[in-house]
Amino acid sequence: MPDDREAKDRQLDAYRIPLDDLKMTTDQGIRVEDTDNSLKAGVRGPTIMEDFHFREKLTRFDHERIPERVVHARGAGAYGYFQVYEPLPDLTSAAFLNDPAVKTPVFVRFSTVAGSRGSADTVRDVRGFATKFYTTQGNYDLVGNNMPVFFIQDGIKFPDFVHSVKPEPHNEIPQAQSAHDTLWDFVQMQPETLHMIMWLMSDRAIPRSYRMMQGFGVHTFRFVNASGQGTFVKFHWRPVLGTYSLVWDEVLRVQGNDPDFNRRDLWEAIERGVYPEYELCVQLVPESREHDFDFDLLDATKIIPEEQVPLRPIGKMTLNRNPQNFFAETEQVAFHTANVVPGIDFTNDPLLQARNFSYLDTQLLRLGGPNFPQIPINRPIAEVRNDQRDGFHQHMIHESRTSYALNSISGGCPAFGDGYQHYQEKVDGTKIRKRSPSFEDHYSQATLFWNSMADWEKKHIVAAYLFELGHVERKPIKEGVVKHLAKIHPDLAAQVAEGLGLPVPSGEPVHADTSPALSMTNQPQSVATRKIAILMGDGTDAVAVRALRLDLEGRGAICEVVAPHEGLVGDTTVDRQLSAANSVIYDAVVAADGAALASMGRAVFFVREAFKHQKAIGAVGSGTRLLEAAQLPNDVGVITGDDIADAFAGAVAGHRFYDRDISSVPA
Ligand code: HDE
């Protein structure tokens, strides 16, 4: 079996500069005598132009930055591999989807959309989920998001949408936030956004982890088999750990406590050897059924409900290696929707068509010219041979005497033929600047989403609308949004209108259909990789805690001891002292001490906050005294007693207790 790391790694190895004891040189390879002092005319004299090392060092520093991505500027990457479960010759001729023995190397970049490179990870936003497959037939990029639809239907609107969500132009406020006038003005003027906005207001927009997040290709793509037969396909990544989110109040606090929350989580999981895994699933629609739906398959603001076309798992991706240099790999990786391999093709989705232009265009600027595919992270493992030449930063020395086709001088090389064949779709039409009438319904699927939510999800959606619109200054914009909400569902509109102090609009639900698969309830449950804080003090009964910790770690949980000071409590090593820890960066808390901690405000706050964020809370030994001091009711998900391991692990695996009544707990 080919080793997944071999092909891409061998290639990357050629470029690695190892950590070793080599002596410092200039970029020209000249040994450097002293890099702490510039060359001067006398120790107190002016710096001399002749100092080539000084000039080179400063110049290189001045040129370190490249333009950040216009959208998706903030990201985190990881390497891994993809393996198909079984050959799919009926569907596609793509080689990597036809040989289960092959581990295709991949590089994935997760991202937020609106914020700048330095913005916090945990903001309310869509997440990017872009995968580069280094296949033997060339690079295939699946550049998706963690939500299955998009804000707009036609790519010509993309600059308008992005300008509206980005910080406002006069004062560049707010950073990485959708809660401001221009975004909501765009929304109320452009009802095609409404379905996606429902997703954005849901907890999908605040994922617990990149490891617990779905991915979607969004558009309808096309598989093409060896006989040229096409099948419409939607791509879904399904995380093996299940899809989970944070809660909003927690998000606000995580931003300060750990702005790198999601990237750190990904990095640490891979360093620990608990590799994130995602199943690749497809929804398949034969061409004969193209018009069987009450929406258009080419409209990227629509899903195909899973109840209508079930998901078929076709393979799995495992992320098992962190990059070694953020800039070289994660920043320079260049995705492009038009990077497809034989067997995968496009449709006429006007959003996809626009993307097929935009990504190459953006890389030309961002990466400084046409040779960016030669940057190691972007290089295919397949051989590259063509007559394209020159340009900034050309790394190749083409020895051929010809750079044109057809030629006789080079024996006709490189020879073409037997390559990618575009799907032979019949196209005819009149030139027209108009949307298809089949794109007109902007409400039904927004209603479907709302109808399919559990009560706690609906509550969170209403709260999100209130937070967002609460930051909008112009009343007519709020009124405009509420008017649209009334067409989605009167319950939603009423709750939002009430909160905003606006008249409650009348309206009938558009329909009562549901798609249970849209809800985040019923996820796979596991305590594995969940982060648990064990609060200990100097008086803790270490024996009881040790047994619990071993048990939880045996189930794959990550336990950290939090105590009033660093060093040791008893014979247990402290991982983090209380003043540097906060409950929001943990999934659950075990109170293991009440003697020392019950009188400490920070410890009381720690468990209280975890309770408010509906997390599992355990207490062993005198730990119950800490819960009493925090005045926590004996509610669901609060596990106390002599042997709590099973019950507590079960509670952590359940993620949150969304029905918990938190109203009686003091702030
Ligand atoms: Fe993108 N998008 N996009 N987008 N997008 C970019 O490319 C664009 C869209 C997505 O980690 C840019 O290299 C247009 C949908 C991801 O490097 C840019 C339109 C989806 C990433 C661009 C869309 C995405 C990008 C900015 C509407 C989900 C980050 C920098 C027609 C299916 C990839 C860059 C990474 C990045 C254009 C809509 C996902 C400007 C014109 C829909 C995950 O080219």
Side-chain angles (χ1 to χ4, degrees), residues 229-253:
Q229 188 197 2
T231 306
F232 292 115
V233 56
K234 291 255 193 199
F235 293 107
H236 298 238
W237 288 115
R238 234 174 16 189
V240 169
L241 288 173
T243 306
Y244 289 101
S245 290
L246 300 169
V247 294
W248 181 243
D249 182 66
E250 184 183 22
V251 160
L252 299 175
R253 290 161 205 265

mmCIF file of all heavy atoms in Angstrom, residues 229-253:
data_model
loop_
_atom_site.group_PDB
_atom_site.id
_atom_site.type_symbol
_atom_site.label_atom_id
_atom_site.label_comp_id
_atom_site.label_asym_id
_atom_site.label_seq_id
_atom_site.Cartn_x
_atom_site.Cartn_y
_atom_site.Cartn_z
ATOM 1 N N GLN A 229 -20.825 9.650 -18.724
ATOM 2 C CA GLN A 229 -22.154 9.859 -18.148
ATOM 3 C C GLN A 229 -22.034 10.684 -16.857
ATOM 4 O O GLN A 229 -21.169 10.422 -16.016
ATOM 5 C CB GLN A 229 -22.779 8.500 -17.840
ATOM 6 C CG GLN A 229 -24.220 8.604 -17.420
ATOM 7 C CD GLN A 229 -24.695 7.326 -16.739
ATOM 8 O OE1 GLN A 229 -23.929 6.379 -16.551
ATOM 9 N NE2 GLN A 229 -25.955 7.315 -16.358
ATOM 10 N N GLY A 230 -22.886 11.687 -16.716
ATOM 11 C CA GLY A 230 -22.808 12.585 -15.561
ATOM 12 C C GLY A 230 -23.843 12.253 -14.488
ATOM 13 O O GLY A 230 -24.910 11.715 -14.783
ATOM 14 N N THR A 231 -23.505 12.572 -13.233
ATOM 15 C CA THR A 231 -24.445 12.458 -12.108
ATOM 16 C C THR A 231 -24.244 13.705 -11.255
ATOM 17 O O THR A 231 -23.104 14.053 -10.938
ATOM 18 C CB THR A 231 -24.123 11.221 -11.231
ATOM 19 O OG1 THR A 231 -24.079 10.075 -12.066
ATOM 20 C CG2 THR A 231 -25.161 11.036 -10.128
ATOM 21 N N PHE A 232 -25.330 14.377 -10.892
ATOM 22 C CA PHE A 232 -25.184 15.538 -10.005
ATOM 23 C C PHE A 232 -24.757 15.065 -8.625
ATOM 24 O O PHE A 232 -25.222 14.032 -8.139
ATOM 25 C CB PHE A 232 -26.510 16.295 -9.901
ATOM 26 C CG PHE A 232 -26.898 16.960 -11.189
ATOM 27 C CD1 PHE A 232 -28.037 16.565 -11.882
ATOM 28 C CD2 PHE A 232 -26.124 17.987 -11.719
ATOM 29 C CE1 PHE A 232 -28.394 17.172 -13.084
ATOM 30 C CE2 PHE A 232 -26.469 18.598 -12.922
ATOM 31 C CZ PHE A 232 -27.601 18.189 -13.601
ATOM 32 N N VAL A 233 -23.883 15.852 -7.997
ATOM 33 C CA VAL A 233 -23.384 15.437 -6.681
ATOM 34 C C VAL A 233 -23.221 16.640 -5.758
ATOM 35 O O VAL A 233 -22.750 17.702 -6.170
ATOM 36 C CB VAL A 233 -22.046 14.641 -6.825
ATOM 37 C CG1 VAL A 233 -20.986 15.443 -7.571
ATOM 38 C CG2 VAL A 233 -21.498 14.227 -5.469
ATOM 39 N N LYS A 234 -23.656 16.459 -4.510
ATOM 40 C CA LYS A 234 -23.369 17.428 -3.440
ATOM 41 C C LYS A 234 -22.418 16.742 -2.477
ATOM 42 O O LYS A 234 -22.651 15.578 -2.096
ATOM 43 C CB LYS A 234 -24.650 17.778 -2.675
ATOM 44 C CG LYS A 234 -25.655 18.588 -3.472
ATOM 45 C CD LYS A 234 -25.650 20.035 -3.006
ATOM 46 C CE LYS A 234 -26.842 20.788 -3.561
ATOM 47 N NZ LYS A 234 -26.626 22.237 -3.497
ATOM 48 N N PHE A 235 -21.369 17.453 -2.051
ATOM 49 C CA PHE A 235 -20.374 16.867 -1.151
ATOM 50 C C PHE A 235 -20.622 17.306 0.293
ATOM 51 O O PHE A 235 -20.893 18.483 0.559
ATOM 52 C CB PHE A 235 -18.965 17.313 -1.553
ATOM 53 C CG PHE A 235 -18.519 16.762 -2.876
ATOM 54 C CD1 PHE A 235 -18.443 17.580 -3.998
ATOM 55 C CD2 PHE A 235 -18.177 15.423 -3.000
ATOM 56 C CE1 PHE A 235 -18.024 17.076 -5.220
ATOM 57 C CE2 PHE A 235 -17.751 14.911 -4.231
ATOM 58 C CZ PHE A 235 -17.680 15.736 -5.339
ATOM 59 N N HIS A 236 -20.493 16.356 1.207
ATOM 60 C CA HIS A 236 -20.625 16.633 2.646
ATOM 61 C C HIS A 236 -19.441 16.001 3.377
ATOM 62 O O HIS A 236 -19.138 14.826 3.151
ATOM 63 C CB HIS A 236 -21.872 15.951 3.231
ATOM 64 C CG HIS A 236 -23.174 16.402 2.657
ATOM 65 N ND1 HIS A 236 -24.172 16.944 3.432
ATOM 66 C CD2 HIS A 236 -23.665 16.378 1.407
ATOM 67 C CE1 HIS A 236 -25.216 17.236 2.667
ATOM 68 N NE2 HIS A 236 -24.942 16.899 1.431
ATOM 69 N N TRP A 237 -18.818 16.736 4.261
ATOM 70 C CA TRP A 237 -17.859 16.141 5.212
ATOM 71 C C TRP A 237 -18.604 15.955 6.535
ATOM 72 O O TRP A 237 -19.198 16.921 7.037
ATOM 73 C CB TRP A 237 -16.680 17.065 5.474
ATOM 74 C CG TRP A 237 -15.690 17.228 4.370
ATOM 75 C CD1 TRP A 237 -15.426 18.374 3.682
ATOM 76 C CD2 TRP A 237 -14.781 16.238 3.865
ATOM 77 N NE1 TRP A 237 -14.430 18.156 2.765
ATOM 78 C CE2 TRP A 237 -14.016 16.845 2.860
ATOM 79 C CE3 TRP A 237 -14.551 14.885 4.159
ATOM 80 C CZ2 TRP A 237 -13.026 16.165 2.150
ATOM 81 C CZ3 TRP A 237 -13.570 14.208 3.446
ATOM 82 C CH2 TRP A 237 -12.821 14.844 2.465
ATOM 83 N N ARG A 238 -18.550 14.749 7.090
ATOM 84 C CA ARG A 238 -19.224 14.518 8.377
ATOM 85 C C ARG A 238 -18.188 14.146 9.423
ATOM 86 O O ARG A 238 -17.519 13.115 9.299
ATOM 87 C CB ARG A 238 -20.229 13.373 8.216
ATOM 88 C CG ARG A 238 -21.600 13.780 8.670
ATOM 89 C CD ARG A 238 -22.701 12.799 8.432
ATOM 90 N NE ARG A 238 -22.325 11.433 8.117
ATOM 91 C CZ ARG A 238 -23.215 10.518 7.708
ATOM 92 N NH1 ARG A 238 -24.481 10.847 7.577
ATOM 93 N NH2 ARG A 238 -22.845 9.287 7.447
ATOM 94 N N PRO A 239 -18.032 14.980 10.475
ATOM 95 C CA PRO A 239 -16.989 14.681 11.459
ATOM 96 C C PRO A 239 -17.352 13.435 12.267
ATOM 97 O O PRO A 239 -18.493 13.305 12.706
ATOM 98 C CB PRO A 239 -16.984 15.920 12.356
ATOM 99 C CG PRO A 239 -18.345 16.511 12.205
ATOM 100 C CD PRO A 239 -18.829 16.161 10.837
ATOM 101 N N VAL A 240 -16.384 12.546 12.437
ATOM 102 C CA VAL A 240 -16.649 11.302 13.168
ATOM 103 C C VAL A 240 -17.046 11.609 14.618
ATOM 104 O O VAL A 240 -17.856 10.910 15.212
ATOM 105 C CB VAL A 240 -15.401 10.380 13.079
ATOM 106 C CG1 VAL A 240 -15.499 9.205 14.036
ATOM 107 C CG2 VAL A 240 -15.236 9.893 11.640
ATOM 108 N N LEU A 241 -16.511 12.705 15.168
ATOM 109 C CA LEU A 241 -16.830 13.049 16.566
ATOM 110 C C LEU A 241 -18.213 13.675 16.716
ATOM 111 O O LEU A 241 -18.669 13.909 17.833
ATOM 112 C CB LEU A 241 -15.792 14.034 17.118
ATOM 113 C CG LEU A 241 -14.407 13.472 17.399
ATOM 114 C CD1 LEU A 241 -13.453 14.602 17.779
ATOM 115 C CD2 LEU A 241 -14.447 12.422 18.505
ATOM 116 N N GLY A 242 -18.891 13.967 15.616
ATOM 117 C CA GLY A 242 -20.201 14.626 15.698
ATOM 118 C C GLY A 242 -20.055 16.140 15.555
ATOM 119 O O GLY A 242 -18.940 16.681 15.595
ATOM 120 N N THR A 243 -21.189 16.809 15.378
ATOM 121 C CA THR A 243 -21.186 18.257 15.152
ATOM 122 C C THR A 243 -21.628 18.955 16.443
ATOM 123 O O THR A 243 -22.746 18.736 16.900
ATOM 124 C CB THR A 243 -22.160 18.605 14.009
ATOM 125 O OG1 THR A 243 -21.805 17.811 12.874
ATOM 126 C CG2 THR A 243 -22.112 20.071 13.639
ATOM 127 N N TYR A 244 -20.745 19.769 16.994
ATOM 128 C CA TYR A 244 -21.048 20.411 18.276
ATOM 129 C C TYR A 244 -20.654 21.885 18.253
ATOM 130 O O TYR A 244 -19.751 22.283 17.522
ATOM 131 C CB TYR A 244 -20.296 19.706 19.407
ATOM 132 C CG TYR A 244 -20.851 18.340 19.710
ATOM 133 C CD1 TYR A 244 -20.223 17.193 19.230
ATOM 134 C CD2 TYR A 244 -22.018 18.190 20.455
ATOM 135 C CE1 TYR A 244 -20.744 15.934 19.487
ATOM 136 C CE2 TYR A 244 -22.544 16.940 20.717
ATOM 137 C CZ TYR A 244 -21.897 15.806 20.234
ATOM 138 O OH TYR A 244 -22.424 14.585 20.491
ATOM 139 N N SER A 245 -21.329 22.641 19.103
ATOM 140 C CA SER A 245 -21.074 24.080 19.131
ATOM 141 C C SER A 245 -20.835 24.594 20.547
ATOM 142 O O SER A 245 -21.126 23.915 21.525
ATOM 143 C CB SER A 245 -22.282 24.810 18.541
ATOM 144 O OG SER A 245 -22.340 24.556 17.161
ATOM 145 N N LEU A 246 -20.342 25.803 20.603
ATOM 146 C CA LEU A 246 -20.218 26.519 21.874
ATOM 147 C C LEU A 246 -21.555 27.196 22.156
ATOM 148 O O LEU A 246 -22.471 27.109 21.339
ATOM 149 C CB LEU A 246 -19.109 27.567 21.752
ATOM 150 C CG LEU A 246 -17.716 27.016 21.423
ATOM 151 C CD1 LEU A 246 -16.766 28.153 21.069
ATOM 152 C CD2 LEU A 246 -17.159 26.210 22.589
ATOM 153 N N VAL A 247 -21.667 27.878 23.299
ATOM 154 C CA VAL A 247 -22.845 28.727 23.504
ATOM 155 C C VAL A 247 -22.382 30.192 23.459
ATOM 156 O O VAL A 247 -21.223 30.497 23.722
ATOM 157 C CB VAL A 247 -23.608 28.416 24.815
ATOM 158 C CG1 VAL A 247 -24.226 27.037 24.756
ATOM 159 C CG2 VAL A 247 -22.730 28.587 26.030
ATOM 160 N N TRP A 248 -23.305 31.070 23.122
ATOM 161 C CA TRP A 248 -22.926 32.435 22.768
ATOM 162 C C TRP A 248 -22.192 33.171 23.886
ATOM 163 O O TRP A 248 -21.147 33.795 23.678
ATOM 164 C CB TRP A 248 -24.174 33.210 22.322
ATOM 165 C CG TRP A 248 -23.850 34.623 21.906
ATOM 166 C CD1 TRP A 248 -24.280 35.766 22.490
ATOM 167 C CD2 TRP A 248 -22.999 35.033 20.820
ATOM 168 N NE1 TRP A 248 -23.768 36.866 21.840
ATOM 169 C CE2 TRP A 248 -22.977 36.436 20.810
ATOM 170 C CE3 TRP A 248 -22.259 34.335 19.859
ATOM 171 C CZ2 TRP A 248 -22.243 37.160 19.877
ATOM 172 C CZ3 TRP A 248 -21.518 35.062 18.938
ATOM 173 C CH2 TRP A 248 -21.531 36.455 18.950
ATOM 174 N N ASP A 249 -22.715 33.069 25.110
ATOM 175 C CA ASP A 249 -22.067 33.785 26.206
ATOM 176 C C ASP A 249 -20.625 33.293 26.381
ATOM 177 O O ASP A 249 -19.710 34.068 26.657
ATOM 178 C CB ASP A 249 -22.871 33.573 27.496
ATOM 179 C CG ASP A 249 -22.273 34.330 28.651
ATOM 180 O OD1 ASP A 249 -22.300 35.572 28.601
ATOM 181 O OD2 ASP A 249 -21.734 33.685 29.587
ATOM 182 N N GLU A 250 -20.458 31.997 26.173
ATOM 183 C CA GLU A 250 -19.134 31.395 26.289
ATOM 184 C C GLU A 250 -18.194 31.944 25.199
ATOM 185 O O GLU A 250 -17.040 32.297 25.458
ATOM 186 C CB GLU A 250 -19.335 29.889 26.114
ATOM 187 C CG GLU A 250 -18.123 29.041 26.276
ATOM 188 C CD GLU A 250 -18.473 27.578 25.995
ATOM 189 O OE1 GLU A 250 -19.481 27.316 25.302
ATOM 190 O OE2 GLU A 250 -17.736 26.713 26.470
ATOM 191 N N VAL A 251 -18.746 32.048 23.999
ATOM 192 C CA VAL A 251 -17.976 32.547 22.863
ATOM 193 C C VAL A 251 -17.372 33.909 23.184
ATOM 194 O O VAL A 251 -16.198 34.178 22.924
ATOM 195 C CB VAL A 251 -18.930 32.664 21.649
ATOM 196 C CG1 VAL A 251 -18.382 33.594 20.596
ATOM 197 C CG2 VAL A 251 -19.200 31.297 21.073
ATOM 198 N N LEU A 252 -18.207 34.754 23.779
ATOM 199 C CA LEU A 252 -17.737 36.109 24.071
ATOM 200 C C LEU A 252 -16.551 36.069 25.028
ATOM 201 O O LEU A 252 -15.642 36.876 24.947
ATOM 202 C CB LEU A 252 -18.875 36.939 24.670
ATOM 203 C CG LEU A 252 -20.096 37.115 23.757
ATOM 204 C CD1 LEU A 252 -21.209 37.854 24.481
ATOM 205 C CD2 LEU A 252 -19.710 37.864 22.484
ATOM 206 N N ARG A 253 -16.576 35.100 25.952
ATOM 207 C CA ARG A 253 -15.485 35.014 26.923
ATOM 208 C C ARG A 253 -14.270 34.283 26.374
ATOM 209 O O ARG A 253 -13.139 34.574 26.755
ATOM 210 C CB ARG A 253 -15.978 34.319 28.190
ATOM 211 C CG ARG A 253 -16.937 35.190 28.957
ATOM 212 C CD ARG A 253 -17.766 34.374 29.915
ATOM 213 N NE ARG A 253 -19.011 35.051 30.200
ATOM 214 C CZ ARG A 253 -19.199 35.832 31.254
ATOM 215 N NH1 ARG A 253 -18.238 36.021 32.109
ATOM 216 N NH2 ARG A 253 -20.358 36.426 31.444
#
